[in-house]
Amino acid sequence: MERASGAIVLFLLLAVDFGIAQNTTGKADGFHVGVILDLGSPVGKVARASVLLAVQDFYAAHRNYSTKLVLHIRDSMGSDIKAASAAIELLENYKVQAIIGPQKSSEVVFISKLGNITQVPIVSFTATSPSLTCDSMPYFVRATPDDSAQVNSIASLIQAYGWREVVAVYDDTDYGRGIVPYLTDALQKIDVRVPYRSVIPSLATSETIIKKLNELMAMQTRVFIVHMSSTMTSLLFMKAKELGMMNQGFAWITTSGVANIMDTLNPRVIEAMSGVLGVRYHVSRSQELDNLSKRWNKMYLQDNPDESPSNKLSIVGLWGYDAIWALARAAEKVGVSNTTNNPLLSIKNSTCLESMTISTKGRELLKTIVQNKFKGFSGEFDLTYKKQHKAYVFQIINVVGRGWREIGFWTVKSGLSRQLKQDGFKKTGQQPMHDLNPVIWPGESTKIPMGWEIPAVGKKLRVGVRSSKIPEFIKTYKDPVKNATIVSGLTIDIFEEAVKRLPFPLSYEYLEFDTTDTGSYNDFVYHVYLQEYDIAVADITIRYNRSLYVDFTVPYTESGVGMIVPVKENVMKDVWLFLKPLSTEMWIGSIILFMYTGVVVWLLEYLNGNEHVHEEKLECFLPRIVLRVWMVVLLVLAASYTASFASMLTVHKLSPTVNDVQELQKNGEYVGFHQGSYIEGLLVEIGFDTSKLRAYATLEDFYSALSNGSIVAVVLDVPYIKLFLAKYNKGYTMVGPIYKSAGFAFALPKNSPLCAEMSRAILNITGGDTIIQFEKKWIDQNSHENDGTLDGSGAITFESFGGLFLLTGVVTTCSPFVAMLMNCYKEYQQDPGNKGDDQNELGHKQVKKRRNGKNKEMKTETELREINNNVSASQFEQKW
């Protein structure tokens, strides 16, 4: 403690001499203002020239003012202790009524407490940490926006280029840490992860920087957001270029802290940063600003004769310039403070703070500064919102060579745009990258970095695999000679083909999952969450509980859960089968129409005097037409009947023995499922008793259990059912799907950028012929299509014709009895004792008449034959 006090006293003595030299007026009745900057830093150099020029320009424009700012500039040398000592010295020796600065956010913490005690406003235009608030620091005024103002512009930039992960790189200071919570929140809103934060010590050496960069190179993410001081940023990019991290594939974004002063950096540093994007506050160009820049350059070279003349006035210098004008205006309104002894200051064991006094006009001066509004060179000077500047427009720049170029803008209302929009037009949704000018990325590439890659300096992609009890999907074993995991199956073919279709090379190695202990698929997937695997490849079903800790690719198989059940043959054994081809209505209609047609034909013949219709000889034209139409209808009906009846007799109709899984549950049937799968839990949820569930490992086990009746049905994923039916296509069928599932997929860590690329590759495979070839190789080889038939001769059974045979038998059996009855009746009619002579004579006449009629018919038939034998009409007439 004594050593620290001695160092402070020594520094105060030196600082007093320096302050006297910086006193521009030498008059004690002026408005004394302390200025604390790191004069060795680029920001400090720019700020010093700006505040000096601001005092000179202000009083040149306001010669009649009764007050005049007297600046006492102190160099903090980047040390918080020296900055605090300088503040104490200024308050004690010069009774300053305001302090401009300090430059760093960490320096503000202590100095603002001094300002609270002495009621001296602390005005900083360089301390941008969001952790500095007016609530805990009532006399602290920020003449610049805080760093949280730029996080939405950075998030929009990340979203525009489609990056899903970024790494935050910041120094371990109040300035570096302050932006992190706000940046993380802004990225989370657009679903962008920050998987890692690289914290650089404030006094990091080159070796430390190289170590940190090597850690970043070993990671997959290739998008970095840098929020560091200009000194540390320069060292970082110089080493990054040496390590090859400024080549193609990398993306770097710097915050406004460095982008605002890009022109003041060393040209070699700017060249090393080629390809970097930067976010900086935008300042509208004007003739007045150009004139100011010329005067500022002269003053800057006067103070820094060894510096390059290419330095330009930055937004930081403009904030300092406007802050001096605001303070000068306020000082004129308030006037010089009459200080009094401080009876309230009670700092024990401190001799150097005893003479500090409280400013009588400090509160009024603070209020006047905050309420002061004017159009400055940095834009609208307005500190009414939380005692700090507001930011409205950000400029997006791209470092190229030893300079930079503008690629667009970001505003609160318009978002990203190539040109600055002044009409206030508001866009919604994601801003496309096409709204920005083309970017030259690291490595002088015009191709947008993908944002991630498998690091070449790191390990290969660890692919976890596990054997399936159904080896057609995946089979693994350890090769003792090569000490490597050998894999095969449909799943592996799809995975390896997907890797080939990725837009980048990917090296990987297979790691076999040990299934000897638990072996469940949930445990296998959980190893991805534990970061033991980079991806899990197997016949893994997408499940909700698994998606809570891993991400899945799109499925590479069909989805759903179904049942395998035996089929039964619906054999037609109905004795009245021959009636089945026609419906009841058709039979009734056909009979009625048949009878109606017969009656009509008889009636037509009777009306034409033909009484012999029963002899099947139609003499009239109309009855023949009616009969011909009826024959056509009868022909079509008979053909249809024949086809339908033949189908019933020859085609075996098959149907599943079980149609509903609920039916199995109600009947208490035994059901099989794949051992180790989620199906068991699904069946329990449906209501199955665990004692009725039986686990089997292979398809052969399922077939044996179904064959011997151990189980009634098997509940499996559809891909397994498809393979089962390809092997055992006789006597089994699928029912369902009875439950919806998402299918088989690969599991990756949450928010892995590889997931989207693999999904696109899988979609490319499943949408073409490749998946068909793979399925033919592993599922359809040496198998036949399930035709849904059973083995059998297909012969027509006697039962099918039982009714028809019965009808024929009845008719045949009854015919002799009917014939016997008819003969008895004829013998009875021919008995002489039953009829007289007249009747006999009449009978003889009728017989003779019939014979004559028959002779006429025979004669007519002879004529027709002669006509058919081409006998001429004249010969026919002469003959008859």
Side-chain angles (χ1 to χ4, degrees):
M1 189 70 180
E2 293 177 356
R3 292 179 180 179
S5 300
I8 292 176
V9 171
L10 179 62
F11 171 75
L12 291 178
L13 293 176
L14 295 174
V16 168
D17 295 337
F18 182 77
I20 293 174
Q22 294 297 322
N23 192 332
T24 58
T25 62
K27 297 180 180 180
D29 56 351
F31 195 96
H32 292 269
V33 177
V35 180
I36 303 176
L37 298 170
D38 180 7
L39 298 179
S41 67
V43 173
K45 294 177 181 180
V46 170
R48 183 181 188 278
S50 297
V51 296
L52 292 177
L53 181 62
V55 172
Q56 177 180 312
D57 289 351
F58 183 84
Y59 290 108
H62 304 84
R63 299 180 181 276
N64 58 341
Y65 270 33
S66 59
T67 59
K68 189 173 185 180
L69 299 184
V70 179
L71 301 184
H72 303 272
I73 301 178
R74 297 293 182 266
D75 185 5
S76 68
M77 300 181 182
S79 170
D80 295 352
I81 295 178
K82 291 182 179 181
S85 300
I88 294 174
E89 183 262 336
L90 291 171
L91 291 170
E92 285 184 343
N93 297 342
Y94 294 96
K95 305 299 186 285
V96 294
Q97 296 179 259
I99 294 179
I100 299 295
Q103 181 175 322
K104 296 166 57 179
S105 297
S106 57
E107 298 169 356
V108 172
V109 176
F110 178 75
I111 295 177
S112 63
K113 293 180 180 179
L114 294 178
N116 295 341
I117 295 173
T118 60
Q119 296 184 5
V120 173
I122 310 297
V123 182
S124 176
F125 55 90
T126 55
T128 57
S129 174
S131 61
L132 306 176
T133 62
C134 59
D135 296 334
S136 59
M137 305 173 181
Y139 279 85
F140 172 68
V141 178
R142 194 187 336 245
T144 178
D146 66 44
D147 288 329
S148 65
Q150 62 185 312
V151 296
N152 288 329
S153 63
I154 297 174
S156 296
L157 202 59
I158 298 294
Q159 187 180 29
Y161 290 108
W163 297 321
R164 308 304 304 165
E165 286 187 354
V166 298
V167 171
V169 183
Y170 55 93
D171 49 19
D172 193 13
T173 61
D174 289 344
Y175 165 75
R177 295 186 298 267
I179 195 176
V180 174
Y182 300 91
L183 180 61
T184 303
D185 291 344
L187 294 175
Q188 285 179 347
K189 291 179 181 178
I190 60 173
D191 196 25
V192 173
R193 291 180 64 240
V194 183
Y196 182 74
R197 302 174 184 177
S198 182
V199 184
I200 309 297
S202 58
L203 300 177
T205 61
S206 297
E207 291 74 14
T208 304
I209 295 293
I210 292 175
K211 181 180 178 180
K212 292 290 185 179
L213 290 175
N214 284 327
E215 292 176 357
L216 297 180
M217 286 189 68
M219 300 177 183
Q220 293 185 359
T221 308
R222 288 292 181 262
V223 181
F224 307 104
I225 300 176
V226 180
H227 182 67
M228 303 169 66
S229 65
S230 58
T231 303
M232 296 304 298
T233 299
S234 300
L235 181 59
L236 177 77
F237 281 106
M238 292 293 291
K239 296 304 176 183
K241 184 175 179 61
E242 294 177 5
L243 295 176
M245 296 183 69
M246 300 305 297
N247 295 333
Q248 183 175 352
F250 290 86
W252 298 83
I253 300 176
T254 62
T255 58
S256 60
V258 171
N260 286 337
I261 59 170
M262 187 65 66
D263 296 319
T264 66
L265 298 180
N266 189 297
R268 293 179 59 249
V269 174
I270 298 176
E271 186 177 11
M273 295 176 64
S274 182
V276 174
L277 297 181
V279 176
R280 57 186 280 165
Y281 295 95
H282 173 67
V283 178
S284 300
R285 308 303 303 181
S286 64
Q287 185 62 44
E288 292 79 5
L289 182 59
D290 292 339
N291 295 333
L292 176 66
S293 297
K294 293 178 181 179
R295 298 196 308 273
W296 181 88
N297 285 333
K298 291 181 180 180
M299 181 163 287
Y300 184 86
L301 292 177
Q302 290 175 1
D303 292 342
N304 306 279
D306 297 333
E307 295 286 339
S308 171
S310 61
N311 289 334
K312 298 180 181 179
L313 178 60
S314 65
I315 184 65
V316 176
L318 296 178
W319 284 331
Y321 188 94
D322 290 344
I324 292 296
W325 277 58
L327 182 59
R329 289 168 180 261
E332 180 67 17
K333 285 187 178 182
V334 174
V336 179
S337 172
N338 295 321
T339 58
T340 60
N341 290 332
N342 179 18
L344 299 178
L345 188 63
S346 57
I347 301 178
K348 297 181 180 180
N349 301 326
S350 177
T351 57
C352 60
L353 301 179
E354 293 177 351
S355 60
M356 294 177 63
T357 58
I358 298 176
S359 174
T360 58
K361 294 186 177 182
R363 186 182 301 273
E364 184 180 358
L365 177 64
L366 174 66
K367 182 179 180 180
T368 305
I369 294 174
V370 172
Q371 293 179 347
N372 198 351
K373 297 181 182 180
F374 60 93
K375 178 69 175 180
F377 282 102
S378 62
E380 293 293 335
F381 189 90
D382 184 3
L383 306 180
T384 56
Y385 177 74
K386 295 184 178 181
K387 298 179 183 178
Q388 67 181 22
H389 251 314
K390 290 183 181 180
Y392 298 98
V393 182
F394 288 91
Q395 185 183 30
I396 313 299
I397 64 173
N398 178 208
V399 181
V400 180
R402 293 196 172 190
W404 57 270
R405 63 192 186 92
E406 175 187 290
I407 65 170
F409 297 91
W410 183 91
T411 64
V412 176
K413 292 184 177 181
S414 302
L416 289 175
S417 59
R418 184 173 301 185
Q419 300 294 333
L420 184 61
K421 295 176 171 59
Q422 303 292 343
D423 55 0
F425 174 76
K426 186 174 182 179
K427 293 185 178 181
T428 58
Q430 179 179 352
Q431 303 301 318
M433 56 191 172
H434 305 291
D435 279 355
L436 300 174
N437 289 314
V439 176
I440 305 298
W441 301 99
E444 298 183 357
S445 172
T446 57
K447 181 181 179 181
I448 299 174
M450 188 169 55
W452 72 277
E453 65 180 26
I454 302 301
V457 297
K459 299 179 180 179
K460 295 181 179 180
L461 187 74
R462 299 167 300 171
V463 181
V465 293
R466 60 158 293 161
S467 288
S468 173
K469 298 298 182 180
I470 303 177
E472 286 82 359
F473 281 93
I474 181 171
K475 180 181 179 181
T476 67
Y477 68 92
K478 195 75 172 181
D479 188 345
V481 178
K482 298 181 180 179
N483 193 25
T485 301
I486 308 301
V487 291
S488 62
L490 173 65
T491 301
I492 295 301
D493 283 358
I494 293 176
F495 169 74
E496 293 180 349
E497 182 65 24
V499 171
K500 294 178 182 177
R501 301 193 183 194
L502 293 176
F504 50 87
L506 180 64
S507 59
Y508 56 88
E509 60 179 344
Y510 291 116
L511 302 177
E512 186 177 13
F513 175 67
D514 187 8
T515 59
T516 56
D517 295 333
T518 56
S520 70
Y521 281 81
N522 287 337
D523 293 335
F524 176 53
V525 172
Y526 195 70
H527 277 62
V528 177
Y529 175 77
L530 297 177
Q531 298 183 356
E532 296 183 13
Y533 303 139
D534 297 318
I535 183 172
V537 175
D539 46 350
I540 306 169
T541 304
I542 301 175
R543 298 287 294 164
Y544 168 75
N545 62 317
R546 297 170 183 170
S547 67
L548 296 176
Y549 47 88
V550 296
D551 281 345
F552 288 98
T553 63
V554 295
Y556 61 86
T557 62
E558 298 178 39
S559 61
V561 176
M563 290 194 305
I564 301 175
V565 298
V567 294
K568 59 183 178 180
E569 183 182 11
N570 295 332
V571 181
M572 304 299 291
K573 296 183 179 181
D574 189 359
V575 296
W576 302 105
L577 178 62
F578 72 94
L579 297 177
K580 299 296 184 180
L582 300 181
S583 63
T584 304
E585 294 80 2
M586 178 61 77
W587 279 114
I588 296 175
S590 299
I591 294 172
I592 293 175
L593 185 59
F594 178 77
M595 296 173 63
Y596 175 72
T597 302
V599 172
V600 170
V601 170
W602 177 84
L603 182 59
L604 291 173
E605 286 292 318
Y606 181 79
L607 293 176
N608 285 277
N610 185 6
E611 300 179 359
H612 305 286
V613 180
H614 61 280
E615 295 183 1
E616 302 180 0
K617 189 63 179 177
L618 301 179
E619 297 181 356
C620 299
F621 175 74
L622 288 177
R624 293 178 181 176
I625 294 299
V626 173
L627 188 59
R628 294 296 184 273
V629 174
W630 166 247
M631 293 301 293
V632 173
V633 174
L634 185 61
L635 179 62
V636 174
L637 182 61
S640 301
Y641 175 89
T642 302
S644 179
F645 193 42
S647 175
M648 289 183 177
L649 293 175
T650 58
V651 176
H652 291 264
K653 290 189 176 180
L654 305 179
S655 62
T657 55
V658 180
N659 292 308
D660 188 7
V661 68
Q662 299 293 342
E663 181 181 347
L664 294 174
Q665 187 266 331
K666 291 179 182 179
N667 297 335
E669 302 288 357
Y670 287 95
V671 176
F673 65 93
H674 192 198
Q675 184 178 2
S677 73
Y678 69 97
I679 300 294
E680 181 180 10
L682 175 62
L683 294 174
V684 172
E685 290 179 4
I686 293 176
F688 278 88
D689 190 340
T690 54
S691 62
K692 299 294 183 181
L693 303 178
R694 296 182 176 179
Y696 298 94
T698 64
L699 297 182
E700 291 74 13
D701 295 338
F702 289 124
Y703 179 72
S704 299
L706 287 170
S707 300
N708 59 32
S710 299
I711 55 177
V712 176
V714 176
V715 179
L716 291 174
D717 289 288
V718 169
Y720 294 147
I721 296 177
K722 185 177 180 180
L723 179 59
F724 180 92
L725 295 178
K727 281 189 170 185
Y728 310 105
N729 63 320
K730 298 292 184 180
Y732 298 98
T733 188
M734 184 184 82
V735 175
I738 61 173
Y739 184 82
K740 291 184 178 180
S741 67
F744 296 164
F746 306 141
L748 297 97
K750 274 288 187 181
N751 299 301
S752 171
L754 183 59
C755 187
E757 297 295 336
M758 287 294 292
S759 295
R760 279 189 282 268
I762 292 172
L763 289 174
N764 193 2
I765 294 171
T766 57
D769 296 334
T770 306
I771 188 64
I772 299 176
Q773 299 300 323
F774 287 159
E775 289 182 350
K776 285 182 179 180
K777 175 182 177 182
W778 294 103
I779 295 180
D780 298 333
Q781 62 176 357
N782 300 324
S783 65
H784 303 283
E785 184 180 2
N786 188 359
D787 53 12
T789 61
L790 294 174
D791 293 333
S793 62
I796 299 176
T797 62
F798 179 82
E799 290 84 352
S800 300
F801 281 83
L804 188 59
F805 289 157
L806 177 61
L807 180 60
T808 304
V810 170
V811 173
T812 304
T813 304
C814 293
S815 295
F817 294 101
V818 174
M820 290 167 47
L821 292 175
M822 291 177 64
N823 290 334
C824 292
Y825 180 75
K826 289 180 179 181
E827 291 177 357
Y828 175 78
Q829 291 292 333
Q830 293 176 0
D831 188 356
N834 294 333
K835 294 188 178 181
D837 295 336
D838 294 337
Q839 291 179 347
N840 291 334
E841 184 178 356
L842 180 60
H844 290 304
K845 291 181 179 179
Q846 292 177 351
V847 172
K848 185 177 182 180
K849 185 177 181 181
R850 293 193 191 98
R851 291 176 179 173
N852 294 334
K854 291 182 179 179
N855 291 333
K856 291 180 180 180
E857 292 177 1
M858 292 176 63
K859 191 178 296 184
T860 304
E861 292 177 359
T862 303
E863 295 171 359
L864 293 175
R865 292 194 193 99
E866 292 181 0
I867 293 174
N868 293 333
N869 292 329
N870 297 323
V871 180
S872 62
S874 60
Q875 292 176 344
F876 180 80
E877 292 177 356
Q878 292 176 0
K879 183 175 180 181
W880 293 102

